[in-house]
Amino acid sequence: MVGSPTVSNARKTARLFAAIFLCAIGTTLLSLWFFRFYAEIDGGRSPHSLFVVMASIFVIAAGPRLVASFTAKHLAYLSLIGIFIGAFLAVAVPTWAPVGSGITAIAGTFLEIFVYKSLLSLSNVAMRKVFVTATVGGIFTGSVLPFDAPTALFAASVCMALAVALAASHLDPDPATGEGRFALSVHVRRQIILRARPAAGLIVLAFVAHLASANAMPLGPGLTGGAYLAALALLWLSAIAHDDTSHISLIRCLVLISAVVCAMRLSGSFGAEAVAFVETALGIIVWTGIIVVALDLATYAEIPFSTIMGGVYLLLTGPAALIYLVSLAAPSLPAMLSSSLADAVIICLLVFCGLYLLNEQSLDDLFWGAHDDEGKTSNDGEALPATDEGEASATFHNLDLSASPSATASECETVDAIARLAAEAQLTAREQEVLGLLAEGRSAPFIAEYLSIERSTAKTHVTRIYAKLGVHTRQELISLVLSAKGLEATEH
């Protein structure tokens, strides 16, 4: 039936949107219940972040082994059972309430990670759009629902159950591919090396963002909705609309807003609601944006999905857990961290992060490996492509990639082949455009001039395309396009 694959993809996207939306509502209600619960028994000091850190460490250490022994679907169901057991203990057995709350928090973290894994069955662009819009919408919905503590816990469990039910069929699309790997005919994994500079920068940024968002005063529904809409708009511009596979736009956005929050508090010229508005938006942008980066990384990294997500959750909740533990011995620490001196120091740290720790070169080295002026990577000693004109011995001369009505059948087949390769390797729109030019035999300097971009940017695109497609020379790439073109012709 003509158009049935499109309908199927649309249904899958809608299904996963609903799963992420419900999961976000559930985790938000769970967090709100957790803080209300400990407000009654421990004066508001909640160890929620500590439990999430414990879950993150366990996911990093044992996640790959668990996924090797069980399917992600079964692990998600086991996490759901853990949530119900923890909730029962917390509500029905008062003496076991702290244990039950901990089980609920840890199982909720596990379930959230496995539900997110279902997004890897979407294209890169669809994955980002679904996650950002569903997560921001779900967190807002969960935060404004007028539930008391027991009702919030029950509603959270129901939302989590529905999320698992919707995502379950997309958690293990191809068990033979292994953890976090989906059946793509052209897709290779790339070794990612954790580098000191960007790692230190991300830790500082996560710490600063936690301080800002944790100090935010509660806002009314109208201002809260405005803050969430502002966060959604900024996330859309920096993580979706901008074609940026090193995520430099998103990181710059986080650094800038963090600095703005500290400057607003330091100046004393802004009202409490104005500061809280920006702090609330920052918290959403940091949490959602960093997970978007992790999901994107999971599409091409050799690192198991559970290890990536466990590390990200550790990054996001580690500062809160550390502050919680230190504040047990030094109760004055939270007040010290919200002082004017602390804000001034944080602004200096953010400037240092933006200019050195998290600059474009540092992030590019982290996600894709450093490359020299000839387009070769130094990530792990592999020689990735040189981009001179001499390699283009086999070319598609004068190929029009616009697929106009007057295009020949051969040209249309080439366009379809490039689109297929781009979808399977999850290339961005800009990378697909560059791939089309590379298939013509164009060099990086020509591509830079043709697309009005810097030569270094063009070479970066070429390096990433070669890495995603698993080729090392221009000839290999053109042969791959020809092979895909032949497959397209066979299928039609």
Side-chain angles (χ1 to χ4, degrees):
M1 180 182 298
V2 178
S4 59
T6 302
V7 173
S8 177
N9 287 334
R11 288 176 178 172
K12 179 173 70 172
T13 301
R15 188 184 183 96
L16 292 180
F17 178 91
I20 301 302
F21 181 76
L22 289 168
C23 185
I25 293 177
T27 53
T28 303
L29 290 175
L30 204 59
S31 299
L32 291 175
W33 168 80
F34 210 98
F35 287 109
R36 291 171 185 171
F37 176 78
Y38 278 92
E40 297 176 359
I41 68 174
D42 195 23
R45 290 189 304 183
S46 170
H48 181 263
S49 58
L50 188 61
F51 287 124
V52 176
V53 165
M54 293 169 58
S56 303
I57 294 173
F58 185 79
V59 167
I60 294 172
R65 294 181 181 179
L66 287 173
V67 173
S69 304
F70 305 94
T71 64
K73 183 191 302 184
H74 290 153
L75 291 173
Y77 284 132
L78 288 174
S79 301
L80 183 61
I81 293 172
I83 290 175
F84 280 104
I85 292 174
F88 173 78
L89 292 175
V91 173
V93 188
T95 55
W96 284 79
V99 175
S101 66
I103 293 174
T104 303
I106 292 173
T109 302
F110 269 85
L111 186 143
E112 193 173 13
I113 289 174
F114 287 118
V115 170
Y116 289 165
K117 185 179 181 182
S118 64
L119 290 172
L120 297 184
S121 62
L122 298 174
S123 68
N124 191 285
V125 174
M127 177 183 69
R128 295 188 190 195
K129 290 179 179 179
V130 167
F131 179 77
V132 168
T133 53
T135 300
V136 175
I139 295 175
F140 173 71
T141 302
S143 65
V144 299
L145 288 174
F147 291 155
D148 56 19
T151 306
L153 182 58
F154 173 76
S157 302
V158 171
C159 287
M160 292 288 205
L162 292 173
V164 171
L166 289 168
S169 61
H170 303 290
L171 286 174
D172 300 286
D174 187 0
T177 58
E179 182 188 2
R181 302 187 183 192
F182 288 72
L184 298 174
S185 62
V186 181
H187 193 37
V188 296
R189 295 282 155 172
R190 183 169 177 80
Q191 182 181 4
I192 302 297
I193 299 175
L194 186 62
R195 301 175 186 273
R197 273 174 54 190
L202 290 173
I203 291 172
V204 171
L205 185 57
F207 185 81
V208 171
H210 166 72
L211 291 180
S213 57
N215 291 329
M217 62 175 281
L219 297 171
L223 285 176
T224 300
Y228 278 70
L229 284 175
L232 179 60
L234 289 172
L235 282 166
W236 193 274
L237 290 173
S238 60
I240 297 175
H242 190 74
D243 184 11
D244 178 15
T245 50
S246 284
H247 309 287
I248 184 63
S249 298
L250 176 61
I251 298 300
R252 284 172 177 169
C253 178
L254 297 180
V255 171
L256 178 60
I257 298 176
S258 300
V260 168
V261 167
C262 294
M264 290 175 70
R265 290 202 305 234
L266 189 61
S267 70
S269 303
F270 298 89
E273 285 190 341
V275 176
F277 182 93
V278 182
E279 288 173 336
T280 301
L282 174 63
I284 299 300
I285 294 171
V286 169
W287 182 268
T288 308
I290 296 299
I291 295 179
V292 164
V293 173
L295 290 171
D296 183 62
L297 185 65
T299 63
Y300 62 84
E302 286 184 346
I303 307 170
F305 179 80
S306 59
T307 303
I308 293 174
M309 296 306 298
V312 166
Y313 271 67
L314 184 62
L315 172 69
L316 291 170
T317 58
L322 181 61
I323 292 173
Y324 170 79
L325 290 174
V326 175
S327 65
L328 294 177
S332 61
L333 179 65
M336 293 173 56
L337 292 175
S338 60
S339 65
S340 298
L341 177 60
D343 287 332
V345 172
I346 287 171
I347 290 175
C348 295
L349 283 175
L350 289 170
V351 171
F352 180 64
C353 277
L355 295 178
Y356 179 70
L357 296 179
L358 294 175
N359 59 25
E360 187 169 3
Q361 179 184 354
S362 174
L363 291 172
D364 203 51
D365 289 352
L366 172 64
F367 291 113
W368 294 98
H371 57 276
D372 59 23
D373 290 339
E374 296 301 320
K376 298 178 181 179
T377 183
S378 59
N379 190 31
D380 46 11
E382 295 180 40
L384 282 178
T387 53
D388 56 9
E389 200 69 68
E391 253 183 78
S393 56
T395 65
F396 299 108
H397 293 288
N398 301 317
L399 179 62
D400 181 8
L401 295 178
S402 62
S404 63
S406 61
T408 67
S410 177
E411 290 170 348
C412 291
E413 288 171 2
T414 302
V415 172
D416 291 341
I418 290 172
R420 176 176 183 154
L421 289 173
E424 291 178 341
Q426 298 193 347
L427 303 184
T428 65
R430 175 65 86 183
E431 288 171 347
Q432 181 175 348
E433 190 175 10
V434 173
L435 174 59
L437 293 169
L438 289 173
E440 291 185 287
R442 304 300 187 183
S443 66
F446 176 90
I447 292 171
E449 183 178 354
Y450 183 80
L451 298 178
S452 300
I453 58 178
E454 296 293 331
R455 285 195 177 190
S456 59
T457 303
K459 290 177 180 179
T460 298
H461 283 308
V462 172
T463 300
R464 293 170 182 166
I465 291 168
Y466 278 41
K468 288 185 177 183
L469 294 177
V471 298
H472 301 84
T473 66
R474 186 74 54 80
Q475 183 60 53
E476 288 182 9
L477 183 141
I478 293 175
S479 298
L480 184 62
V481 173
L482 288 171
S483 297
K485 180 179 175 181
L487 182 59
E488 288 283 339
T490 301
E491 291 182 350
H492 290 86

